[in-house]
Amino acid sequence: DQQVKQNSPSLSVQEGRISILNCDYTNSMFDYFLWYKKYPAEGPTFLISISSIKDKNEDGRFTVFLNKSAKHLSLHIVPSQPGDSAVYFCAASGRSNYQLIWGAGTKLIIKP
Amino acid sequence: ETGVTQTPRHLVMGMTNKKSLKCEQHLGHNAMYWYKQSAKKPLELMFVYNFKEQTENNSVPSRFSPECPNSSHLFLHLHTLQPEDSALYLCASSQAGARANTGELFFGEGSRLTVL
């Protein structure tokens, strides 16, 4: 049973528009969430994180929103650029278990 | 360049072979990890080492044997693997410490393993 779910295997967005990647989780004990980005033939790289004491964290073009009541987080990329084409992984952890639990990833394709 | 180097990048082996994957980090971290990534599946944590001591083994079959001789090096020894073990094996490092383990992980580029 997957505790972290990324229900969209892929997403296609026009360059310059907003990309919204979604992630749902089931474990209410999760209190820290991260997004990683992965290019082909490379390892994942850390992008942005959010603690459960916040509902929003922004870093340049990237903003992560957390809705604890819905157990949902989203990553917004504005404006989307061709270099954003990659697989994006959502991950979560909780106080009782510091391991990261990962989603299956969403492949983002930015169209010119 | 993330400061975590994995070799080999690609490995093809038969079910009776013995091979090893190597990981080296130049970031001064003291926690190292092995992950398995199969197509369209979440990353699966295999092993965690903190200060050279194994602190996690996620029910990994004994045909995978990790070794951490020091804080900078991590090996994954492979023997009598099965075709379903074919996957991308990722090494990562981070600062150790209870909360730090949930923070940023620095990944290598991975070793693509094919078991025939």
Side-chain angles (χ1 to χ4, degrees):
Chain A
D1 181 34
Q2 276 186 256
Q3 297 186 65
V4 176
K5 296 180 183 178
Q6 294 178 256
N7 291 319
S8 298
S10 66
L11 175 68
S12 189
V13 174
Q14 202 73 35
E15 181 180 357
R17 298 286 184 96
I18 182 171
S19 295
I20 300 175
L21 297 107
N22 294 304
C23 180
D24 297 294
Y25 61 96
T26 57
N27 191 336
S28 57
M29 297 302 291
F30 288 150
D31 68 343
Y32 196 72
F33 305 89
L34 305 92
W35 286 94
Y36 279 78
K37 174 180 178 180
K38 184 182 184 300
Y39 293 118
E42 293 185 13
T45 55
F46 171 76
L47 190 56
I48 192 168
S49 64
I50 188 166
S51 164
S52 61
I53 62 173
K54 295 185 174 182
D55 54 19
K56 176 182 174 181
N57 188 25
E58 192 172 350
D59 183 1
R61 296 186 298 113
F62 302 90
T63 303
V64 56
F65 295 92
L66 176 62
N67 183 333
K68 289 187 288 293
S69 60
K71 294 191 180 69
H72 176 84
L73 65 155
S74 60
L75 175 68
H76 293 215
I77 307 173
V78 181
S80 300
Q81 298 175 354
D84 297 329
S85 295
V87 177
Y88 289 78
F89 291 97
C90 171
S93 72
R95 287 184 205 89
S96 62
N97 183 344
Y98 297 134
Q99 287 186 27
L100 285 179
I101 308 299
W102 297 77
T106 297
K107 183 176 183 178
L108 176 64
I109 300 165
I110 304 301
K111 299 179 294 186
Chain B
E1 182 64 48
T2 63
V4 181
T5 305
Q6 289 187 243
T7 53
R9 295 291 310 278
H10 299 272
L11 178 63
V12 179
M13 60 187 289
M15 292 167 61
T16 58
N17 291 159
K18 286 186 180 181
K19 297 285 184 183
S20 296
L21 306 180
K22 179 183 176 183
C23 177
E24 184 175 358
Q25 58 96 359
H26 305 278
L27 300 168
H29 290 159
N30 37 41
M32 296 189 76
Y33 311 75
W34 279 115
Y35 278 90
K36 175 182 178 182
Q37 187 191 9
S38 303
K40 299 182 181 178
K41 287 187 176 180
L43 273 70
E44 301 172 47
L45 180 65
M46 300 175 72
F47 301 104
V48 180
Y49 279 82
N50 281 288
F51 297 98
K52 303 187 298 177
E53 297 296 321
Q54 189 181 124
T55 54
E56 291 286 344
N57 176 340
N58 268 3
S59 304
V60 180
S62 60
R63 56 185 184 269
F64 294 93
S65 174
E67 179 189 359
C68 188
N70 55 60
S71 294
S72 299
H73 293 85
L74 185 64
F75 295 89
L76 188 62
H77 303 301
L78 317 169
H79 66 98
T80 60
L81 294 192
Q82 305 297 313
E84 58 265 29
D85 297 322
S86 298
L88 181 69
Y89 289 85
L90 290 161
C91 173
S93 73
S94 74
Q95 291 297 345
R99 199 67 228 186
N101 281 350
T102 67
E104 294 180 37
L105 293 177
F106 292 78
F107 284 88
E109 294 175 323
S111 294
R112 174 71 60 186
L113 173 67
T114 303
V115 181
L116 302 176

